[in-house]
Amino acid sequence: MERNWLDITALILIIIGAINWGLIGFFEFDLISYFFGTLSAITRIIFAIVGIAGIYSLVLFWKLKSD
């Protein structure tokens, strides 16, 4: 299966989200909020985009599983 730009972008966003959750879990440090403010509009948009990337990756996972 060929990977397109959306697959790669989703993977990068998921990695960013995973690193952020790891920092929160280990050090109680939210990297996204540090740079963009606590629950500012841009922070919420970033969290939403990372969440959408996660949902997209679930769909991608099922597509890869069926091949």
Side-chain angles (χ1 to χ4, degrees), residues 4-64:
N4 60 24
W5 66 271
L6 189 57
D7 297 344
I8 294 168
T9 303
L11 180 61
I12 290 169
L13 289 170
I14 290 168
I15 292 168
I16 290 169
I19 291 170
N20 193 53
W21 274 109
L23 288 171
I24 291 169
F26 289 118
F27 306 111
E28 295 181 14
F29 178 72
D30 186 347
L31 186 66
I32 303 299
S33 293
Y34 176 77
F35 283 115
F36 300 107
T38 304
L39 292 180
S40 68
I42 189 72
T43 302
R44 293 181 65 197
I45 291 169
I46 292 169
F47 286 147
I49 291 171
V50 171
I52 291 168
I55 293 168
Y56 174 80
S57 294
L58 283 173
V59 173
L60 179 62
F61 175 74
W62 289 110
K63 282 178 24 180
L64 290 172

